[in-house]
Each structure stands twice: as C-alpha cells, then as structure tokens.
C-alpha cells in the first residue's frame, strides 16, 4: 500500500502525531531483552526514533523510499527499503536470522499487511519463547466539542475513499487477527488504550487531513473533500474559543503479545 502515501510523504512526516512515551515504556517492560527491534512499516521513522532510545539496535523497514527520505538519521537505526512480500531467505538476508529479534513493532500499518504471511515472518525472526510483537494504531483526532462536531460528518464523508482495511483502525484494532499469547501479567492481548497529543494550528490540522490516503484518493477521482464551505465551517469552529493553537488528542490502541516455544 506504499503508493497510497508516496504523494503526501512530506505532509505525513510533518503533521502525523508522534507516539506517547508511555507506549514504548509499556512495551519495553514486557520485552525481556533490549538488543534488537524490527520496526515494520516505519514510514518516516516516528516509532523508530523512540525505539532507538530504549533498544540497542533498530532495523526500520518500509516499502516506500519516499517516506524513508524523511526519517531521522540515528546511529543505531538502520533504514531499509523492502519489497511488500519477502521470501524467508530475503528476510534472513535483509532483516535478521531466525530467533534473533527481541521485538517486532508496527505503528499505524498492520492493517495494510498480508497478515498470514507477515505473521509467519514474525514467528520466524522473534526469539523463543518470549519475543514480543506490538502493533498499534491511532484513530481520529479529538479537539473540542465545537471542532469535533464539524469533523465527525466530514470524516463520514471521506468513508468511500478509504481502503476497506481502514475499518480495522476505526474498530480500534479489536477486530484485527492477532494470533499471539498475552504478555506476562495479562490474560489478553489488548487493545490497550493510550493517548498522544500534538499542538496544532488550523492550517496544520488541514495539512494532517491532506496527508490521509483517502484525501488523495478522493482528489484523484476529482473530489475535493476540503471544499471551501467545509473549510469555512472548520474556521468558525476553530476560532470560537479565541485560541489559534489547540491541543489535538489522538487515541492510540495497542495490541501486544508474545510467541510461544
């Protein structure tokens, strides 16, 4: 699905939210060893940056070279552009040998994957028996009642232009297949909820919307989702409290599990 994000790679890197440190600390607390992480679908490296502060080495992969152009250069992160489907031989050559990875992470991307094939690869590279897989998504932004009352029907109008896989995000990853064992201390694999925040001006909020794959799909079909009247509705709602900048909250939903013997 990399083609959905190539055209808006710069917008994606500039306006997509980072992830709360609580997510990474929670994951790290469930990972017995902190030597090697495979961050899959890294995009412009939002998760890789935080992982690099906890784990000794991070291999961050994406199928989009354009997205990787905007990833931060870090001494212990290796970025690699990979095909969407890899053989086991390619996996061992380009990512890691069997049973050598402590953690596999997937931020805002698992719903795009061929899950049976990907899970075979995860089971191959993760250390046994306690290698961990963690996948999370964030859902729609929350600003305040006034702005959100404009956003909700606007988001509904974008529905025909999302890939069907987006429904798994709207379901907070509750319905996504996740055939792994609960990590220590829990009897389920989630989703566990966190929140991330970003201070935004209205133009940044619009840029975030324009980074959606649905926005660009609609545009290619000749449909402008952010029509003049919609923009004006957002402007009125945004300016109502007199503050140019607002804290925008994004709910984050985490699935986490471990492999067996």
């Amino acid at each position: 699905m990399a083609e959905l994000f190539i055209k808006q790679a710069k917008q994606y890197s500039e306006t997509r939210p980072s992830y709360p440190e609580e997510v990474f600390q929670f994951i790290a607390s469930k990972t017995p060893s902190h030597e090697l992480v495979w961050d899959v679908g890294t995009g412009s490296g939002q998760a890789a940056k935080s992982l690099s502060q906890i784990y000794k080495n991070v291999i961050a992969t994406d199928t989009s070279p354009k997205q990787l152009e905007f990833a931060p250069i870090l001494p212990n992160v290796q970025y690699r552009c990979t095909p969407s489907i890899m053989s086991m031989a390619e996996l061992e050559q380009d990512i890691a040998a069997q049973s050598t990875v402590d953690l596999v992470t997937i931020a805002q991307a698992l719903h795009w994957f061929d899950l049976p094939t990907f899970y075979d690869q995860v089971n191959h590279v993760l250390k046994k028996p306690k290698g961990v897989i963690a996948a999370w998504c964030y859902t729609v932004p929350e600003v305040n009642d006034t702005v959100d009352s404009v956003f909700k029907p606007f988001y509904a109008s974008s529905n025909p232009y999302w890939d069907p896989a987006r429904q798994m995000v709207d379901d907070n990853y509750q319905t996504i297949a996740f055939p792994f064992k609960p990590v220590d201390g829990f009897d389920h694999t989630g989703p566990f909820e966190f929140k991330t925040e970003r201070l935004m001006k209205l133009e940044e909020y619009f840029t975030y919307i324009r980074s959606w794959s649905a926005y660009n799909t609609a545009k290619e079909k000749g449909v402008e989702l952010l029509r003049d009247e919609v923009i004006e509705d957002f402007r009125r709602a945004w300016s109502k409290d007199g503050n140019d900048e607002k804290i925008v909250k994004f709910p984050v939903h985490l699935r986490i599990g471990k492999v067996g013997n």
Side-chain angles (χ1 to χ4, degrees), residues 178-194:
F178 198 75
F180 299 94
K181 296 182 177 181
V183 292
D184 295 348
F186 292 94
D187 60 2
H188 63 93
T189 62
F192 298 91
E193 186 168 332
F194 300 83

Side-chain angles (χ1 to χ4, degrees), residues 1 6-7 15 25 65 79 100 106 112 114 132 155-156 160 163 180 182 191 194 200 243 252:
M1 304 305 295
I6 289 173
K7 293 181 180 179
T15 61
Q25 293 301 328
Y79 294 104
T100 58
I106 314 99
W112 299 122
D114 173 352
V132 170
Y155 183 65
D163 187 279
F180 299 94
F194 300 83
M200 283 184 167
N243 295 320
V252 177

Side-chain angles (χ1 to χ4, degrees), residues 234-249:
F234 272 117
R235 288 195 192 283
R236 279 195 295 268
W238 196 273
S239 62
K240 191 171 184 180
D241 64 4
N243 295 320
D244 288 341
E245 289 189 317
K246 291 181 174 41
I247 294 174
V248 181
K249 298 179 180 179

Side-chain angles (χ1 to χ4, degrees), residues 63-98:
T63 59
S64 168
K66 191 69 175 175
Q67 288 271 18
L68 292 172
E69 286 179 15
F70 296 98
I73 298 173
L74 299 163
N76 61 334
V77 178
Q78 299 178 53
Y79 294 104
R80 295 175 186 170
C81 189
T82 56
S84 56
I85 299 175
M86 287 187 290
S87 67
M88 285 298 182
E90 290 172 322
L91 182 73
E92 292 212 351
Q93 177 180 323
D94 297 334
I95 308 301
Q98 185 174 9

Side-chain angles (χ1 to χ4, degrees), residues 133-225:
I133 175 173
W136 62 93
C137 65
Y138 57 85
T139 48
V140 295
E142 301 169 354
V143 182
N144 57 38
D145 289 345
T146 306
V147 175
D148 294 351
S149 69
V150 177
F151 178 85
K152 287 176 183 175
F154 170 73
Y155 183 65
S157 75
S158 73
N159 187 61
Y161 307 104
W162 288 104
D163 187 279
R166 171 72 188 189
Q167 186 60 48
M168 288 183 273
V169 175
D170 289 336
D171 291 339
N172 305 333
Y173 271 9
Q174 293 182 63
T175 56
I176 200 163
F178 198 75
F180 299 94
K181 296 182 177 181
V183 292
D184 295 348
F186 292 94
D187 60 2
H188 63 93
T189 62
F192 298 91
E193 186 168 332
F194 300 83
K195 283 205 174 182
T196 187
E197 297 180 351
R198 186 181 180 113
L199 193 63
M200 283 184 167
K201 294 182 177 180
L202 180 57
E203 288 307 315
E204 293 172 306
Y205 186 79
F206 286 151
T207 301
Y208 156 73
I209 288 172
R210 292 185 180 107
S211 77
W212 291 355
S213 60
Y215 177 86
N216 286 274
T217 297
K219 205 164 185 65
E220 288 173 356
K221 294 178 181 292
V223 177
E224 175 54 68
L225 292 176

